[in-house]
mmCIF file of all heavy atoms in Angstrom:
data_model
loop_
_atom_site.group_PDB
_atom_site.id
_atom_site.type_symbol
_atom_site.label_atom_id
_atom_site.label_comp_id
_atom_site.label_asym_id
_atom_site.label_seq_id
_atom_site.Cartn_x
_atom_site.Cartn_y
_atom_site.Cartn_z
ATOM 1 N N GLU A 246 46.808 81.102 60.731
ATOM 2 C CA GLU A 246 45.725 80.934 59.849
ATOM 3 C C GLU A 246 44.902 82.225 59.637
ATOM 4 O O GLU A 246 44.473 82.533 58.519
ATOM 5 C CB GLU A 246 44.802 79.864 60.473
ATOM 6 C CG GLU A 246 45.417 78.447 60.422
ATOM 7 C CD GLU A 246 44.556 77.475 61.213
ATOM 8 O OE1 GLU A 246 43.441 77.845 61.752
ATOM 9 O OE2 GLU A 246 45.015 76.331 61.390
ATOM 10 N N LEU A 247 44.703 82.943 60.724
ATOM 11 C CA LEU A 247 43.988 84.242 60.607
ATOM 12 C C LEU A 247 44.741 85.258 59.682
ATOM 13 O O LEU A 247 44.103 85.916 58.843
ATOM 14 C CB LEU A 247 43.863 84.902 62.024
ATOM 15 C CG LEU A 247 43.087 86.186 62.071
ATOM 16 C CD1 LEU A 247 41.652 86.010 61.726
ATOM 17 C CD2 LEU A 247 43.185 86.880 63.440
ATOM 18 N N LEU A 248 46.022 85.274 59.787
ATOM 19 C CA LEU A 248 46.817 86.181 58.905
ATOM 20 C C LEU A 248 46.750 85.740 57.486
ATOM 21 O O LEU A 248 46.486 86.563 56.563
ATOM 22 C CB LEU A 248 48.251 86.189 59.404
ATOM 23 C CG LEU A 248 48.532 86.877 60.743
ATOM 24 C CD1 LEU A 248 49.987 86.723 61.193
ATOM 25 C CD2 LEU A 248 48.176 88.335 60.731
ATOM 26 N N ASP A 249 46.979 84.440 57.247
ATOM 27 C CA ASP A 249 46.989 83.905 55.828
ATOM 28 C C ASP A 249 45.606 84.003 55.191
ATOM 29 O O ASP A 249 45.488 84.287 53.977
ATOM 30 C CB ASP A 249 47.494 82.460 55.891
ATOM 31 C CG ASP A 249 48.932 82.364 56.261
ATOM 32 O OD1 ASP A 249 49.660 83.337 56.128
ATOM 33 O OD2 ASP A 249 49.404 81.177 56.612
ATOM 34 N N GLU A 250 44.526 83.737 55.954
ATOM 35 C CA GLU A 250 43.265 83.600 55.357
ATOM 36 C C GLU A 250 42.329 84.886 55.340
ATOM 37 O O GLU A 250 41.466 84.956 54.524
ATOM 38 C CB GLU A 250 42.485 82.427 55.990
ATOM 39 C CG GLU A 250 43.122 81.041 55.869
ATOM 40 C CD GLU A 250 42.514 79.999 56.707
ATOM 41 O OE1 GLU A 250 41.346 80.327 57.274
ATOM 42 O OE2 GLU A 250 43.104 78.895 56.832
ATOM 43 N N LEU A 251 42.681 85.790 56.228
ATOM 44 C CA LEU A 251 41.842 86.966 56.362
ATOM 45 C C LEU A 251 42.714 88.268 56.330
ATOM 46 O O LEU A 251 42.481 89.051 55.488
ATOM 47 C CB LEU A 251 41.073 86.931 57.695
ATOM 48 C CG LEU A 251 39.954 87.858 57.833
ATOM 49 C CD1 LEU A 251 38.883 87.328 58.852
ATOM 50 C CD2 LEU A 251 40.392 89.285 58.232
ATOM 51 N N VAL A 252 43.605 88.473 57.225
ATOM 52 C CA VAL A 252 44.245 89.728 57.391
ATOM 53 C C VAL A 252 45.087 90.116 56.134
ATOM 54 O O VAL A 252 44.811 91.264 55.600
ATOM 55 C CB VAL A 252 45.198 89.783 58.675
ATOM 56 C CG1 VAL A 252 45.898 91.092 58.725
ATOM 57 C CG2 VAL A 252 44.289 89.516 59.939
ATOM 58 N N ILE A 253 45.992 89.351 55.699
ATOM 59 C CA ILE A 253 46.907 89.623 54.604
ATOM 60 C C ILE A 253 46.109 89.803 53.277
ATOM 61 O O ILE A 253 46.273 90.787 52.578
ATOM 62 C CB ILE A 253 47.982 88.613 54.499
ATOM 63 C CG1 ILE A 253 48.905 88.709 55.788
ATOM 64 C CG2 ILE A 253 48.854 88.894 53.237
ATOM 65 C CD1 ILE A 253 49.968 87.714 55.818
ATOM 66 N N PRO A 254 45.133 88.869 52.943
ATOM 67 C CA PRO A 254 44.403 89.052 51.735
ATOM 68 C C PRO A 254 43.582 90.338 51.746
ATOM 69 O O PRO A 254 43.410 91.065 50.734
ATOM 70 C CB PRO A 254 43.489 87.819 51.700
ATOM 71 C CG PRO A 254 44.305 86.767 52.440
ATOM 72 C CD PRO A 254 44.927 87.505 53.540
ATOM 73 N N ALA A 255 42.988 90.647 52.900
ATOM 74 C CA ALA A 255 42.157 91.863 53.064
ATOM 75 C C ALA A 255 42.933 93.062 52.782
ATOM 76 O O ALA A 255 42.423 94.094 52.250
ATOM 77 C CB ALA A 255 41.489 91.911 54.419
ATOM 78 N N LEU A 256 44.233 93.066 53.105
ATOM 79 C CA LEU A 256 45.093 94.247 52.965
ATOM 80 C C LEU A 256 45.865 94.274 51.717
ATOM 81 O O LEU A 256 46.660 95.087 51.450
ATOM 82 C CB LEU A 256 46.029 94.313 54.227
ATOM 83 C CG LEU A 256 45.354 94.599 55.508
ATOM 84 C CD1 LEU A 256 46.438 94.527 56.655
ATOM 85 C CD2 LEU A 256 44.542 95.792 55.584
ATOM 86 N N GLY A 257 45.625 93.251 50.811
ATOM 87 C CA GLY A 257 46.304 93.227 49.514
ATOM 88 C C GLY A 257 47.678 92.707 49.560
ATOM 89 O O GLY A 257 48.513 92.938 48.664
ATOM 90 N N GLY A 258 48.069 92.018 50.604
ATOM 91 C CA GLY A 258 49.470 91.461 50.730
ATOM 92 C C GLY A 258 49.549 90.197 49.929
ATOM 93 O O GLY A 258 48.580 89.508 49.573
ATOM 94 N N PRO A 259 50.836 89.822 49.598
ATOM 95 C CA PRO A 259 51.101 88.634 48.871
ATOM 96 C C PRO A 259 50.874 87.349 49.641
ATOM 97 O O PRO A 259 51.171 87.290 50.823
ATOM 98 C CB PRO A 259 52.596 88.756 48.459
ATOM 99 C CG PRO A 259 53.167 89.597 49.592
ATOM 100 C CD PRO A 259 52.026 90.561 49.982
ATOM 101 N N SER A 260 50.293 86.340 49.045
ATOM 102 C CA SER A 260 50.081 85.047 49.682
ATOM 103 C C SER A 260 51.410 84.385 49.911
ATOM 104 O O SER A 260 52.236 84.336 49.080
ATOM 105 C CB SER A 260 49.163 84.200 48.770
ATOM 106 O OG SER A 260 48.979 82.939 49.407
ATOM 107 N N GLY A 261 51.499 83.767 51.147
ATOM 108 C CA GLY A 261 52.646 82.993 51.458
ATOM 109 C C GLY A 261 53.926 83.758 51.758
ATOM 110 O O GLY A 261 55.008 83.253 51.807
ATOM 111 N N ALA A 262 53.775 85.115 51.968
ATOM 112 C CA ALA A 262 54.922 85.956 52.258
ATOM 113 C C ALA A 262 55.593 85.575 53.563
ATOM 114 O O ALA A 262 54.860 85.127 54.539
ATOM 115 C CB ALA A 262 54.481 87.460 52.282
ATOM 116 N N VAL A 263 56.851 85.786 53.661
ATOM 117 C CA VAL A 263 57.544 85.608 54.961
ATOM 118 C C VAL A 263 57.168 86.732 55.939
ATOM 119 O O VAL A 263 57.265 87.892 55.551
ATOM 120 C CB VAL A 263 59.069 85.608 54.722
ATOM 121 C CG1 VAL A 263 59.813 85.493 56.121
ATOM 122 C CG2 VAL A 263 59.494 84.453 53.842
ATOM 123 N N LEU A 264 56.752 86.342 57.115
ATOM 124 C CA LEU A 264 56.346 87.350 58.065
ATOM 125 C C LEU A 264 57.402 87.631 59.051
ATOM 126 O O LEU A 264 57.772 86.764 59.902
ATOM 127 C CB LEU A 264 55.056 86.892 58.769
ATOM 128 C CG LEU A 264 53.854 86.600 57.838
ATOM 129 C CD1 LEU A 264 52.659 86.128 58.628
ATOM 130 C CD2 LEU A 264 53.529 87.845 57.022
ATOM 131 N N GLU A 265 58.003 88.761 58.952
ATOM 132 C CA GLU A 265 59.161 89.138 59.839
ATOM 133 C C GLU A 265 58.615 89.890 61.050
ATOM 134 O O GLU A 265 57.483 90.348 61.119
ATOM 135 C CB GLU A 265 60.131 90.031 59.047
ATOM 136 C CG GLU A 265 60.568 89.461 57.731
ATOM 137 C CD GLU A 265 61.732 88.477 57.894
ATOM 138 O OE1 GLU A 265 62.067 88.100 59.031
ATOM 139 O OE2 GLU A 265 62.358 88.022 56.897
ATOM 140 N N ASP A 266 59.536 90.176 62.044
ATOM 141 C CA ASP A 266 59.227 90.961 63.185
ATOM 142 C C ASP A 266 59.080 92.433 62.782
ATOM 143 O O ASP A 266 58.433 93.164 63.543
ATOM 144 C CB ASP A 266 60.234 90.795 64.320
ATOM 145 C CG ASP A 266 60.160 89.466 65.039
ATOM 146 O OD1 ASP A 266 59.004 88.993 65.197
ATOM 147 O OD2 ASP A 266 61.145 88.897 65.375
ATOM 148 N N ALA A 267 59.699 92.784 61.758
ATOM 149 C CA ALA A 267 59.680 94.200 61.312
ATOM 150 C C ALA A 267 59.853 94.202 59.777
ATOM 151 O O ALA A 267 60.516 93.262 59.266
ATOM 152 C CB ALA A 267 60.680 95.087 62.026
ATOM 153 N N ALA A 268 59.435 95.259 59.151
ATOM 154 C CA ALA A 268 59.461 95.336 57.698
ATOM 155 C C ALA A 268 60.355 96.400 57.143
ATOM 156 O O ALA A 268 60.437 97.508 57.731
ATOM 157 C CB ALA A 268 58.053 95.542 57.083
ATOM 158 N N LEU A 269 61.049 96.169 56.025
ATOM 159 C CA LEU A 269 61.854 97.192 55.426
ATOM 160 C C LEU A 269 60.868 98.161 54.709
ATOM 161 O O LEU A 269 59.900 97.743 54.083
ATOM 162 C CB LEU A 269 62.753 96.615 54.306
ATOM 163 C CG LEU A 269 63.912 95.637 54.783
ATOM 164 C CD1 LEU A 269 64.642 95.033 53.641
ATOM 165 C CD2 LEU A 269 64.867 96.411 55.697
ATOM 166 N N LEU A 270 61.171 99.442 54.812
ATOM 167 C CA LEU A 270 60.270 100.396 54.133
ATOM 168 C C LEU A 270 60.547 100.386 52.672
ATOM 169 O O LEU A 270 61.608 100.316 52.177
ATOM 170 C CB LEU A 270 60.623 101.827 54.687
ATOM 171 C CG LEU A 270 60.148 102.080 56.166
ATOM 172 C CD1 LEU A 270 60.468 103.511 56.556
ATOM 173 C CD2 LEU A 270 58.657 101.800 56.274
ATOM 174 N N PRO A 271 59.419 100.484 51.843
ATOM 175 C CA PRO A 271 59.597 100.406 50.384
ATOM 176 C C PRO A 271 60.526 101.513 49.866
ATOM 177 O O PRO A 271 60.461 102.738 50.309
ATOM 178 C CB PRO A 271 58.205 100.664 49.890
ATOM 179 C CG PRO A 271 57.263 100.226 51.024
ATOM 180 C CD PRO A 271 58.058 100.584 52.247
ATOM 181 N N GLY A 272 61.504 101.180 49.070
ATOM 182 C CA GLY A 272 62.419 102.053 48.476
ATOM 183 C C GLY A 272 63.569 102.451 49.383
ATOM 184 O O GLY A 272 64.411 103.243 49.038
ATOM 185 N N GLU A 273 63.586 101.898 50.615
ATOM 186 C CA GLU A 273 64.655 102.185 51.484
ATOM 187 C C GLU A 273 65.439 100.899 51.892
ATOM 188 O O GLU A 273 64.753 99.886 52.260
ATOM 189 C CB GLU A 273 64.171 102.782 52.776
ATOM 190 C CG GLU A 273 63.309 104.075 52.564
ATOM 191 C CD GLU A 273 64.279 105.268 52.133
ATOM 192 O OE1 GLU A 273 65.484 105.124 52.385
ATOM 193 O OE2 GLU A 273 63.773 106.215 51.645
ATOM 194 N N SER A 274 66.709 100.885 51.759
ATOM 195 C CA SER A 274 67.458 99.665 52.021
ATOM 196 C C SER A 274 67.810 99.450 53.464
ATOM 197 O O SER A 274 68.242 98.343 53.927
ATOM 198 C CB SER A 274 68.724 99.723 51.220
ATOM 199 O OG SER A 274 69.591 100.824 51.577
#
Side-chain angles (χ1 to χ4, degrees):
E246 292 172 4
L247 182 67
L248 293 173
D249 291 341
E250 298 172 10
L251 193 156
V252 176
I253 295 175
L256 298 176
S260 177
V263 175
L264 301 180
E265 307 276 9
D266 284 324
L269 295 175
L270 290 180
E273 301 289 342
S274 61

